[in-house]
């Protein structure tokens, strides 16, 4: 019997409740030039929360242990685990670009128009 396993991804919003860290995507092609949360693919034998911690450190240099699960979406062939973390002002300002995808730190009242829609909604709901 063959099982159809869905590919798992994580995405996370890092905020100090005034600012938010977003990443300007270069890939996949359909996300090129769009801002998204930090994240990526869950590796084999890795659970989603571990992947979220790893991706935050790899993409923006932040070691964050405390993440909250916001939602799980299952569009088509993958599963997306959506997390958020509230960090200090000092920590958020220390986020830096570590890959070929640029990190941006934005006021929550001035999120770029070219931000992924589900991320915009998530930011609004977290900051209510």
């Amino acid at each position: 019997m063959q099982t159809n396993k869905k590919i798992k991804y994580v995405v996370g919003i890092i905020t100090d409740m005034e600012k938010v860290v977003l990443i300007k995507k270069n890939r996949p092609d359909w996300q090129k030039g769009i801002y998204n949360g930090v994240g990526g693919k869950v590796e084999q034998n890795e659970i989603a929360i571990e992947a979220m911690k790893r991706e935050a450190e790899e993409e923006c240099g932040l070691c964050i242990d405390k993440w909250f699960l916001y939602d799980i979406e299952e569009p088509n062939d993958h599963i997306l685990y959506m997390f958020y973390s509230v960090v200090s002002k000092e920590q958020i300002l220390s986020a830096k670009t570590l890959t070929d995808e640029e990190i941006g730190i934005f006021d929550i009242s001035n999120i770029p128009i070219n931000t992924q829609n589900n991320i915009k909604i998530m930011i609004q709901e977290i900051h209510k």
Side-chain angles (χ1 to χ4, degrees):
M1 181 196 247
Q2 190 176 22
T3 58
N4 190 4
K5 286 189 140 185
K6 291 187 173 190
I7 300 169
K8 296 177 183 177
Y9 294 92
V10 293
V11 66
I13 296 300
I14 303 166
T15 183
D16 68 354
M17 300 309 283
E18 292 179 9
K19 297 187 181 302
V20 65
V21 174
L22 296 173
I23 188 166
K24 192 171 187 181
K25 301 296 291 175
N26 290 332
R27 63 194 161 280
D29 283 343
W30 67 272
Q31 281 192 39
K32 190 170 185 166
I34 296 174
Y35 283 96
N36 204 339
V38 299
K41 190 175 179 183
V42 178
E43 294 177 357
Q44 189 173 4
N45 299 322
E46 186 177 47
I47 61 172
I49 190 69
E50 291 171 347
M52 189 67 256
K53 291 176 185 179
R54 176 182 52 75
E55 291 287 351
E57 189 168 359
E58 288 176 0
E59 292 185 347
C60 61
L62 297 181
C63 296
I64 301 171
D65 287 326
K66 195 170 187 178
W67 289 92
F68 300 95
L69 183 63
Y70 170 79
D71 197 10
I72 300 172
E73 294 182 356
E74 294 193 47
N76 304 321
D77 63 343
H78 65 277
I79 300 172
L80 178 63
Y81 296 88
M82 301 174 76
F83 292 95
Y84 70 95
S85 184
V86 180
V87 300
S88 69
K89 180 181 228 59
E90 294 77 19
Q91 195 169 17
I92 204 165
L93 293 176
S94 70
K96 56 190 174 286
T97 301
L98 295 177
T99 70
D100 65 335
E101 296 180 314
E102 184 181 338
I103 293 293
I105 302 169
F106 300 95
D107 289 333
I108 59 167
S109 61
N110 195 25
I111 300 301
I113 195 163
N114 59 329
T115 299
Q116 188 75 21
N117 282 335
N118 60 348
I119 297 301
K120 284 183 191 176
I121 293 166
M122 185 175 169
I123 292 168
Q124 290 169 354
E125 289 186 1
I126 291 167
H127 294 91
K128 282 185 180 177

